[in-house]
Amino acid sequence: MIDITLPDGSVRQFGQSVTVHDVAKDIGKGLARATLAGEVDGELVDGSYSIQSNCTLRIITDRDPEGLDIIRHSTAHLLAQAVKDLYPEAQVTIGPVIENGFYYDFSYPLGFGEEDLHKIEARMVALAKADLEVRRIVENRDSAVQRFKEIGEEYKAEIIGEIPGGEPITLYSQGDFVDLCRGPHVPSTGHLKAFKLTQLAGAYWRGDSNREMLQRVYGTAWPNQKELDAYLHRKEEAEKRDHRKLGRQLDLFHFQEDAPGMVFWHRDGWALYTVVERHVRSLLREYDYEEVQTPQLMDRSMWKRSGHWDKFRQHMFTTHIDDRDYVIKPMNCPGHVQIFNQGLKSYRDLPLRIAEFGLVHRNEPSGTLHGLLRARRFTQDDAHVFCTQDQLREEVATLIDLTYRMYRDFGFEDIEVALSTRPDERVGEDALWDVAEDALAQALIDKKIPYKVQKGEGAFYGPKHEFVLRDSIGRRWQCGTIQVDFSMPGRLGAHYVSEDGKKVVPVMIHRAILGSLERFIGILLEDTEGRLPVWLAPIQVVIMNIADQHAGYASEVEKALTKQGIRAETDLRNEKIGYKIRHHTLRRIPYLLVVGEREVADQTIAVRTREGRDLGVVPLGDFAGMMEDRTSNHGIETIGGLKDSGS
């Protein structure tokens, strides 16, 4: 008898070998129809996989994260089959799953255009409706190479030829199409119900600019049409909210090739940056941090001792001065250890919390650069807490409180947390990893914060919390981290004197909440579509005169508001008031104040919001008081009985 243990602990017995699909059918016909694959003793397998002995089994459907990846990988094969049907002379290369979809690279000298994209997608729909069976084939390397050479697929033959000779080669067929793949795949093409090709791009074979340029076709795939439609709507919204477009439109910043990956902040963009920085700094003071600054250049030997040189050197900018090799700072932690090392530390000095708005440079590949979201020069809201092992759990708990508070101040309430545990390549003793992972997990449990475990995703020096924010259109942004490190302080000579007079290496907690200020500002812009809450808006108020004789009063209003710390400016141009209102509405200015004869006579202002709401005529003092509340509390205040536009 074969005993198969299911996730709920129940056991099903079979007198002979059975497939995953057979087990699903034994449980119920509905589950059998929904089965995409299985997980046998922790390993993903096809639905046709034959179970020969006792095992644990989890049935994979499109409701499982793994199921979505299988759908997307299978849809990439469907794309390749459609291309080969329509353009037999094209060669297939690689087609991986990526976030929200997949791509496939093709060698096709004529190149594809938008019309080709529509034809390919239509052919994919027809192949899916044909419900072709997907079969797994196992061959040895030499026969697989020969198979693909015979059909002119030189790229596939090259890939297979580099696989060690003793390893079995797995192929998948659907209809007449055969492709190399590790699998698993859907049982038949009929399981692929909701997909769309999204764009074309170029890509070098194996990322080598000295090799052939290939044609890359991107697509997305989902379990059903409803989820596909929702994704396409989010994508459309995301394109409207692209922070790079908003940066130009609102005159906040720009990039240029003279400094790739490095932002040029304009006046209003820098005003936004400094508001964010000030708010972070105010919380640093409240949570008892010492703010410091460390050098931009340090000798390469420092980075070797810290362990970063071996793990990170491909992303480091280096320079050679006075016969010494220097690294342009890619992170702040080694510098903070040097500050800790100045002067003898006692257990009474701990915890010591060191923070820095640390300007760093990282040599990110040019193809990955993406405005503020992926840059080469950026500023981390970085901090390191040095503490004893006994203090670790409490410090982690305090950091969690600070992290949640900061996100909520910026308007993010939907927060997901993951605990990333020890990777295979790591430093430090397993016993210390146990302590670190337990402290991180227990702090979340104590606060009743749900979290998922990401096995093997920790840093080489320690496990970490990862905080993911969900924005107003449902996208997820990984921002903050809390990382426990038992290794680096000792590598860099840090110690304190314990109560019994012994030298002890402190625990070092790395933490960044926003991640980088630049990236977080990009997220804020896309989340709000540039309609920042009043306390963050670079310019909070614009005062506009109806005619020249009202210009003096408009300037007086600006001075009065500016004196109270409100970021105000005037528009005294000789233009119609409607034109001015439209112009500053497009600038996303929260409040538009209009002054004419009545307002000058009564010392009042007519208040409009960027959403076009007319809040009426109010005394200047009342408006200034409301603005003071809005900018100090970050809350939703009212004026004239209506919510203002900063909500």
Side-chain angles (χ1 to χ4, degrees):
M1 297 293 289
I2 298 174
D3 291 344
I4 298 177
T5 305
L6 302 175
D8 63 0
S10 64
V11 177
R12 291 193 175 247
Q13 293 186 323
F14 297 87
Q16 58 186 13
S17 63
V18 289
T19 67
V20 171
H21 187 266
D22 290 335
V23 179
K25 189 175 181 181
D26 188 62
I27 296 171
K29 291 182 179 179
L31 181 61
R33 286 193 296 270
T35 296
L36 300 179
E39 184 185 70
V40 176
D41 289 337
E43 181 180 352
L44 286 175
V45 298
D46 293 292
S48 60
Y49 177 83
S50 180
I51 299 172
Q52 305 285 338
S53 59
N54 297 347
C55 67
T56 61
L57 170 65
R58 181 166 65 98
I59 304 295
I60 304 297
T61 72
D62 62 18
R63 295 184 179 182
D64 298 297
E66 300 95 336
L68 184 54
D69 278 353
I70 290 168
I71 286 172
R72 288 173 175 165
H73 203 164
S74 299
T75 309
H77 279 226
L78 189 71
L79 163 62
Q81 182 180 9
V83 168
K84 290 296 292 183
D85 281 359
L86 294 169
Y87 310 93
E89 64 275 29
Q91 291 191 57
V92 296
T93 65
I94 58 171
V97 172
I98 57 175
E99 185 178 8
N100 294 321
F102 58 90
Y103 70 78
Y104 216 118
D105 288 346
F106 301 93
S107 174
Y108 185 57
L110 295 178
F112 300 127
E114 288 299 322
E115 283 302 314
D116 297 297
L117 215 57
H118 297 309
K119 288 171 61 179
I120 295 167
E121 187 176 302
R123 182 59 183 155
M124 290 171 67
V125 170
L127 291 169
K129 287 181 178 178
D131 197 21
L132 303 173
E133 181 187 4
V134 177
R135 294 190 307 112
R136 185 172 185 263
I137 305 168
V138 180
E139 291 188 353
N140 64 52
R141 185 189 65 180
D142 292 343
S143 64
V145 168
Q146 187 61 31
R147 173 196 286 266
F148 283 97
K149 282 187 174 180
E150 286 176 356
I151 59 175
E153 295 290 352
E154 297 295 332
Y155 293 88
K156 286 293 182 188
E158 179 181 330
I159 295 170
I160 298 169
E162 294 174 354
I163 298 173
E167 292 187 17
I169 305 300
T170 56
L171 312 174
Y172 281 83
S173 71
Q174 50 198 53
D176 296 330
F177 178 71
V178 180
D179 202 355
L180 169 71
C181 192
R182 184 176 290 117
H185 279 274
V186 296
S188 66
T189 59
H191 287 267
L192 308 177
K193 302 170 183 175
F195 51 81
K196 185 170 184 59
L197 301 183
T198 55
Q199 68 181 92
L200 295 166
Y204 290 109
W205 171 231
R206 299 199 157 170
D208 185 346
S209 60
N210 295 315
R211 301 292 298 272
E212 305 90 321
M213 173 64 76
L214 305 175
Q215 182 88 68
R216 177 168 294 179
V217 181
Y218 285 96
T220 187
W222 297 84
N224 53 64
Q225 191 64 38
K226 181 179 179 181
E227 291 187 54
L228 173 61
D229 290 343
Y231 167 74
L232 294 175
H233 175 71
R234 290 195 303 271
K235 187 171 183 291
E236 183 181 349
E237 281 294 309
E239 289 170 358
K240 290 194 300 186
R241 295 162 181 258
D242 189 315
H243 72 283
R244 296 166 298 179
K245 180 176 72 174
L246 290 169
R248 294 189 297 270
Q249 180 181 334
L250 305 181
D251 195 21
L252 302 176
F253 57 82
H254 80 275
F255 292 85
Q256 62 189 62
E257 279 305 307
D258 301 273
M262 305 183 192
V263 63
F264 290 78
W265 288 106
H266 301 186
R267 182 200 68 171
D268 288 355
W270 189 244
L272 169 58
Y273 181 100
T274 56
V275 171
V276 172
E277 185 183 61
R278 277 201 305 271
H279 185 63
V280 175
R281 182 172 281 120
S282 71
L283 291 179
L284 292 178
R285 289 194 294 267
E286 184 176 334
Y287 280 78
D288 197 26
Y289 282 83
E290 298 179 3
E291 187 178 338
V292 302
Q293 189 176 76
T294 55
Q296 288 300 112
L297 291 178
M298 287 196 293
D299 193 283
R300 186 175 69 180
S301 62
M302 175 73 71
W303 303 98
K304 286 185 175 180
R305 297 204 310 275
S306 72
H308 288 102
W309 182 257
D310 291 337
K311 301 289 183 180
F312 204 73
R313 60 185 170 192
Q314 72 271 22
H315 294 299
M316 292 180 172
F317 288 106
T318 59
T319 188
H320 187 79
I321 305 171
D322 295 335
D323 295 324
R324 294 176 67 181
D325 293 320
Y326 292 90
V327 171
I328 302 173
K329 181 173 67 173
M331 63 272 297
N332 305 292
C333 31
H336 288 187
V337 177
Q338 305 317 303
I339 290 176
F340 179 90
N341 287 347
Q342 299 305 299
L344 186 64
K345 297 293 188 300
S346 159
Y347 69 95
R348 295 188 181 90
D349 299 315
L350 306 184
L352 178 62
R353 306 178 183 98
I354 296 176
E356 178 176 8
F357 293 100
L359 179 63
V360 299
H361 292 75
R362 296 184 183 176
N363 188 16
E364 302 286 357
S366 59
T368 67
L369 299 178
H370 186 76
L372 299 177
L373 302 181
R374 188 75 176 265
R376 285 178 171 164
R377 176 189 186 272
F378 53 91
T379 301
Q380 294 179 303
D381 65 319
D382 211 0
H384 295 89
V385 178
F386 297 87
C387 65
T388 68
Q389 279 197 40
D390 291 340
Q391 295 167 335
L392 175 59
R393 193 159 140 189
E394 182 179 351
E395 286 301 307
V396 170
T398 301
L399 286 170
I400 292 171
D401 291 340
L402 172 58
T403 300
Y404 271 79
R405 178 173 171 185
M406 195 174 297
Y407 290 152
R408 285 166 178 160
D409 283 350
F410 286 104
F412 294 101
E413 297 285 346
D414 191 348
I415 303 164
E416 301 171 9
V417 185
L419 170 57
S420 297
T421 59
R422 67 195 76 185
D424 292 335
E425 293 187 19
R426 59 183 182 270
V427 295
E429 301 172 5
D430 281 349
L432 293 177
W433 278 87
D434 291 340
V435 172
E437 290 175 357
D438 181 67
L440 290 174
Q442 197 58 50
L444 294 170
I445 292 168
D446 290 345
K447 293 182 178 297
K448 297 181 172 57
I449 296 173
Y451 67 95
K452 68 176 182 178
V453 176
Q454 298 180 154
K455 292 183 179 180
E457 295 297 316
F460 72 92
Y461 51 77
K464 60 183 175 179
H465 288 158
E466 295 186 20
F467 296 86
V468 176
L469 312 181
R470 193 176 291 275
D471 70 12
S472 57
I473 59 172
R475 293 174 300 175
R476 300 168 71 255
W477 302 92
Q478 197 277 311
C479 289
T481 56
I482 298 172
Q483 308 182 55
V484 179
D485 184 356
F486 283 96
S487 173
M488 192 182 303
R491 295 170 71 105
L492 295 179
H495 68 268
Y496 67 94
V497 178
S498 66
E499 193 170 2
D500 59 5
K502 295 180 179 178
K503 288 184 177 181
V504 180
V505 176
V507 183
M508 183 180 185
I509 308 174
H510 307 244
R511 82 101 182 101
I513 297 177
L514 305 186
S516 86
L517 270 66
E518 288 81 356
R519 181 172 180 271
F520 192 76
I521 288 170
I523 293 169
L524 280 172
L525 290 171
E526 297 203 0
D527 177 57
T528 62
E529 200 178 353
R531 295 178 177 84
L532 293 161
V534 177
W535 73 278
L536 281 171
I539 300 297
Q540 298 166 320
V541 175
V542 170
I543 307 102
M544 297 166 283
N545 61 319
I546 293 176
D548 286 346
Q549 60 266 35
H550 314 133
Y553 178 60
S555 297
E556 290 175 17
V557 171
E558 180 195 8
K559 289 177 183 177
L561 295 176
T562 301
K563 191 174 181 180
Q564 291 190 236
I566 297 165
R567 296 185 291 278
E569 65 179 37
T570 54
D571 184 347
L572 306 179
R573 292 176 296 169
N574 185 22
E575 299 283 357
K576 292 182 178 180
I577 194 65
Y579 174 85
K580 293 182 182 181
I581 289 172
R582 284 192 299 275
H583 174 74
H584 296 297
T585 298
L586 291 174
R587 289 181 65 201
R588 313 289 207 270
I589 307 297
Y591 289 107
L592 311 177
L593 310 186
V594 178
V595 296
E597 288 294 335
R598 181 176 61 173
E599 289 75 26
V600 172
D602 297 339
Q603 295 291 283
T604 58
I605 48 176
V607 183
R608 296 176 59 90
T609 73
R610 61 187 161 200
E611 286 77 21
R613 291 184 300 214
D614 186 348
L615 302 185
V617 177
V618 299
L620 175 59
D622 289 355
F623 177 79
M626 185 278 291
M627 285 293 295
E628 187 175 2
D629 288 339
R630 288 291 289 124
T631 55
S632 62
N633 297 335
H634 323 313
I636 298 173
E637 301 296 326
T638 61
I639 182 169
L642 294 175
K643 283 186 178 180
D644 72 32
S645 62
S647 59

